[in-house]
Amino acid sequence: MTAIAVLGSTNMDLVAYVPRAPRLGETVTGRAFRTVPGGKGANQAVAAARSGAEVVMIGAVGADEFGVRLRSALTAAGVETAALRTVGGASGTAHITVDDEGANSIIVIPGANGSVTGLEAGDAARIGAADLLLLQLELPVEAVLAGAAAARAQGVRTVLTPAPARPLPRELLELVDLLVPNEHEAAALTGFTDPRGAAEALLREVPEVVLTLGSAGVLYAARGREPLAVPALPVRAVDTTAAGDTFAGALAVALGEGRAMPEALHWASAAAALSVQRPGAQDSMPTRTETDAFAASTSASTSASTSASTSASTSSAGTGTGPRSDLTGEPAAGAAS
């Protein structure tokens, strides 16, 4: 069984469902409200566990009712929580608006997540026992850097979801094996709104990149290899919250099992496609059996493609006007090739 360590956030998601998101200064009437366990780290942990991995969660919750519920949800999903600390104060929260098209906007308040500024006793050993380490950016960057350093020192593959997007320290980028941004995060990091241009810029800093492009599918790029595009699976989205986390967790499991990248991308895309058809974050994530069945049922009608088809699938996004020389936020001397 694939072993995965997750160093990341846990949040309680406070979700309002509305016909459309309010404009600045506007009040709209919602149709439903839910509180559901979330946080990018916890979401990826649950996605990986439901996808068939043995998962350990490293992070923190607050000494409040939300903290109890967040820990319980992880445990119920089969995630090991011995390294999930309880600290004084409030747990992290995410305030989410979901419209009738399934699109969302999110405000995150770190709470207990902000207390995680490094590794504690036993954390490095937990990371070393894993096949992959999943990281995101809802913890202080010092903790993310410490986790990546522990993984590299022990030969563990590191997968970073750079969300929320921010300039990344070069010392962190040097420790990342696979970067998994969405198209908006890739544009924020590189200045390119064209996914292929963004991927090329990202490959100057990390060896492999998977860009998630929503209805346009995913784009994989690696140094010395032709880009690979995998189309999205056609489904009607109800709620896209945690679709990216579902993809990342499932992808980590597929890679840990040694699947070839085209198969791994299709399988992870199937998991994400199932998740957007259901409301909520962790509640929406499919089991391995569900993902296997859906991936098998769609494999005949979808296929990976390279080069020319990659250009065709991404060309509508346009090109950036302000590319950067790296992901640290420094201005470029000229446009990237």
Side-chain angles (χ1 to χ4, degrees):
M1 179 181 289
T2 298
I4 293 176
V6 181
L7 174 61
S9 60
T10 56
N11 294 322
M12 185 60 72
D13 291 349
L14 313 177
V15 190
Y17 295 90
V18 296
R20 61 174 180 81
R23 293 183 291 269
L24 186 64
E26 181 185 20
T27 299
V28 300
T29 299
R31 55 182 172 78
F33 174 78
R34 300 177 69 203
T35 58
V36 291
K40 295 195 71 64
N43 289 345
Q44 292 184 6
V46 170
R50 289 189 179 166
S51 295
E54 182 178 274
V55 183
V56 58
M57 178 74 199
I58 305 170
V61 295
D64 57 5
E65 180 185 353
F66 285 166
V68 174
R69 289 181 58 188
L70 291 168
R71 184 183 297 276
S72 177
L74 286 165
T75 300
V79 177
E80 171 58 56
T81 61
L84 184 66
R85 287 37 137 173
T86 298
V87 300
S91 297
T93 54
H95 303 254
I96 305 173
T97 299
V98 180
D99 67 21
D100 282 349
E101 299 301 315
N104 62 56
S105 57
I106 305 174
I107 299 171
V108 174
I109 300 176
N113 298 304
S115 71
V116 184
T117 57
L119 302 182
E120 296 195 6
D123 288 347
R126 294 180 177 96
I127 292 170
D131 297 302
L132 295 96
L133 171 66
L134 291 178
L135 297 168
Q136 322 77 35
L137 298 177
E138 287 184 343
L139 295 183
V141 70
E142 308 96 286
V144 179
L145 181 58
R152 177 59 58 85
Q154 299 175 90
V156 175
R157 189 176 188 180
T158 295
V159 179
L160 172 63
T161 301
R166 68 179 75 172
L168 301 177
R170 188 170 299 281
E171 58 266 36
L172 174 58
L173 291 167
E174 291 173 349
L175 298 171
V176 172
D177 297 303
L178 174 63
L179 194 70
V180 188
N182 65 25
E183 56 192 316
H184 307 295
E185 292 150 3
L189 289 170
T190 67
F192 286 98
T193 55
D194 166 36
R196 190 159 188 176
E200 290 175 356
L202 292 168
L203 287 180
R204 296 174 191 150
E205 307 294 342
V206 296
E208 292 183 280
V209 178
V210 172
L211 273 71
T212 59
L213 306 173
S215 61
V218 297
L219 173 65
Y220 170 71
R223 293 171 181 168
R225 296 178 60 180
E226 287 294 321
L228 179 71
V230 174
L233 303 178
V235 297
R236 175 167 175 75
V238 172
D239 183 354
T240 58
T241 304
D245 295 329
T246 302
F247 177 88
L251 179 63
V253 174
L255 294 176
E257 292 174 352
R259 303 192 197 197
M261 187 59 76
E263 179 190 355
L265 293 172
H266 176 71
W267 196 74
S269 295
L274 287 170
S275 76
V276 302
Q277 298 178 74
R278 307 166 179 171
Q282 295 170 19
D283 290 347
S284 72
M285 295 173 175
T287 64
R288 183 185 182 95
T289 299
E290 291 173 321
T291 301
D292 281 343
F294 189 54
S297 72
T298 55
S299 60
S301 60
T302 59
S303 61
S305 57
T306 60
S307 290
S309 57
T310 298
S311 299
S313 68
T314 61
S315 61
S316 62
T319 56
T321 57
R324 289 186 283 272
S325 59
D326 54 42
L327 311 187
T328 62
E330 300 169 6
S337 58

